[in-house]
Amino acid sequence: MRDALTGLGVSPGRTAGPAFRMAAPPTLPDTVPAVADVEAEKTLATKALTQVSSVLEELAARVDGEAAEVLATEAMMAADKTLADAVAAAVAGGRPAPWAIADAIGAQQETFTQLGGYFAERAADLADIRDRAVAHLLDEPMPGLPVPGRPYVLTADDLSPADTALLDPNSVLAIVTRRGGPTSHTAILARARGLPAVVGCAGILDVEDGAAVSVDGTTGEVTEIDESEVDGVREAAARERERLAALTGPGRTADGHAVPLVLNVGGVADVVADAEGVGLFRTEFLFLGRTSAPSVAEQERAYAELFGALGGRKVVVRTLDAGADKPLPFLGLAAEENPALGVRGLRVARAHPEVLAEQLEAIARAANATAADVWVMAPMVATTAEAEEFAAAVRTAGLPVAGAMIEVPAAALRANKLLEVVDFVSIGTNDLSQYTLAADRMNGDLADLLDPWQPAVLELVASCADAGRSTHKPVGVCGEAAGDPLLALVLVGMGVTSLSMSAPSVPAVRAMLAAHTLAECEHLARLALDAPDAVAARQAVAAATNG
Amino acid sequence: MPSRDVVVGSRVGLHGRPAKTVVGVAAAQPVAVRISTAGKPAVDASSILAVLSLGAKGGDTVTVEADGDGAEAALGAMVEILAQDLDAEPADA
């Protein structure tokens, strides 16, 4: 075995196979050749665009739903008359076909970017058309997913939404990217599809195409191995999956201390049959892409659909988590210099109290119509006063259980006071890491700082858990940290009372908990808290659990 | 030239599925159909890039125009499709 390339494990599971890189977009040569025959050059350019359009149409035919829609629209753009006219004009002005296409697309991108919002997002589709057309004309490899003809580990700088839409889970074994953090598009997609994934893996693009690698999406370890070792790793991983799948039932430690393992969901499709409940129901899906708020009746229907699927189980609903970083047109929020520090989460209710009031009314109606045990919590609470005001609004709506998310260090430091005014807290480790380490969640270069094993973050979690113990109120964790089996032990050892994660993470966490007593978890929590840094904390806990 | 004004019925505005549908209807007409928003020159309604470049939002008024045989019927078809909410399915989370 050669050196391990370490990144951040963002989707659990272990596998091995040949690595193949996402082809990089082609670059135009520095010297621009002269155009000898303008008409012939125009034909070349038109043919390239037509070719791109038909390839995109074929790709669209291979997928369904939203992805098909996106690709069909992109195919339409590639074959567009307006674009063809602009390209022809550029050729007539002396630009060779590849340059003419790049110029025309650049101008169109600028128009879209100026329109902003959803229109600006189409600039990325245009870039894809340009890259494909230029690659075709320069006879360079087509950018996009590799097609090695056998299952492979996909490596890339980062993945675009179009790439992820086309990704075939039958041929991709795992994903490793150089950039990206725990909440990147890659991470979210990989978890949803149950593919092991590592992001922020600095050396991954130095691995030769076809070289065998093993990938551990739990520890973040990526290792170049000998081809003869591949089958062994996969077989061991398959046995491990079988062992995990054989374990069922509620989450509990080896000595029977119950720790409900609940799900992070965006809708009823994410609920699995044997789930103990839902620890984080994200309600944004109802509001995205809307120019007016969804009506109370529409919201009630959507909430009741999820609640109904849960029977009498618990569901924690997070009220709308929008802001300048996740803009919603109907809120009319101004663009901000620092959206992460701006009007987001519960703060939106300062300007739009009616949106929160209507949402709570819809949740209350859906709760009354179903048997689910409905709890409600607010995102981005910073002060006790905010938590108190929110809890009052929840109770006014007729809902019995109100909580606050702990994502802001100010709230974590005052968890004991918060728990005097709310019934529970739930710690969102992704945002808590971002705000504690002052590191942008979207910045892949800072992935090490966003590691939930950072002792400063763990210390805040521990103090929240202490506050829960002294007030006898639940303290859950609903960030992706809860889905890391080793970290789950640490959280339970600190006194966290429930862990909420995406469904594919549950079996490994359940098995890990079942193999350790509460006293062992408490010991591991002390090891993690005493470690000098995130890497050492993980190593110390890993070493102690293997021993 | 015959023209008709219509309020964009798609709440998300003329992009994504609504834009694609509107462009498809325009392309199927026997006459050239042009479309404009207030203060902007009319553009080819059968060009997806031109239609997206309007940046038309839900509730905006747009003007469609066409000339020649079948122009009235073409405008009728355009008004009908533009007035609908073409993105009524809920967005995915």
Side-chain angles (χ1 to χ4, degrees), chain A residues 103-293:
Chain A
D103 290 355
I105 283 183
Q108 184 66 54
Q109 282 180 311
E110 201 157 306
T111 306
F112 283 176
T113 308
Q114 277 168 8
L115 289 170
Y118 297 97
F119 296 98
E121 285 170 20
R122 298 284 74 77
D125 300 351
L126 287 168
D128 189 43
I129 293 170
R130 177 197 60 215
D131 292 342
R132 287 171 181 276
V134 170
H136 178 77
L137 286 164
L138 299 179
D139 208 18
E140 285 199 16
M142 206 44 73
L145 294 168
V147 190
R150 53 190 161 134
Y152 66 101
V153 173
L154 175 65
T155 67
D157 188 50
D158 204 356
L159 295 179
S160 74
D163 302 327
T164 49
L166 287 169
L167 195 143
D168 173 10
N170 294 319
S171 60
V172 175
L173 297 164
I175 304 173
V176 183
T177 62
R178 190 182 72 83
R179 290 152 56 82
T183 56
S184 65
H185 205 77
T186 305
I188 291 164
L189 171 101
R191 280 193 295 266
R193 302 216 176 164
L195 286 175
V198 175
V199 300
C201 184
I204 192 60
L205 296 180
D206 299 331
V207 174
E208 296 275 329
D209 268 359
V213 291
S214 73
V215 179
D216 190 325
T218 307
T219 62
E221 227 166 81
V222 179
T223 314
E224 282 199 61
I225 58 174
D226 192 79
E227 245 187 86
S228 62
E229 297 168 273
V230 167
D231 287 347
V233 173
R234 278 202 226 166
E235 279 160 24
R239 278 196 302 276
E240 178 65 9
R241 274 196 301 276
E242 271 172 40
R243 188 181 72 80
L244 296 181
L247 283 168
T248 53
R252 54 185 62 241
T253 59
D255 54 334
H257 171 70
V259 182
L261 304 180
V262 287
L263 303 182
N264 291 350
V265 306
V268 73
D270 299 331
V271 177
V272 292
D274 67 342
E276 290 185 67
V278 167
L280 171 63
F281 174 28
R282 305 183 176 96
T283 54
E284 288 76 62
F285 75 101
L286 268 170
F287 296 82
L288 290 172
R290 304 290 290 255
T291 47
S292 57

Side-chain angles (χ1 to χ4, degrees), chain A residues 66 68-69 72-73 76-78 80-83 108 111-112 115 118-119 122 126 266-267 282 284-286 288-293 298, chain B residues 10-17 19-21 23-24 40 44 46-58 87 90-93:
Chain A
E66 183 108 6
E69 196 84 40
T73 308
M76 210 171 186
M77 288 185 197
D80 192 81
K81 281 180 289 184
T82 308
L83 178 61
Q108 184 66 54
T111 306
F112 283 176
L115 289 170
Y118 297 97
F119 296 98
R122 298 284 74 77
L126 287 168
R282 305 183 176 96
E284 288 76 62
F285 75 101
L286 268 170
L288 290 172
R290 304 290 290 255
T291 47
S292 57
E298 182 185 347
Chain B
S10 297
R11 282 173 298 183
V12 298
L14 285 186
H15 68 81
R17 184 183 312 155
K20 188 165 156 275
T21 311
V23 168
K40 285 191 191 170
D44 183 351
S46 68
S47 160
I48 182 84
L49 291 178
V51 169
L52 289 174
S53 301
L54 293 173
K57 298 181 185 64
D87 199 39
D92 201 1

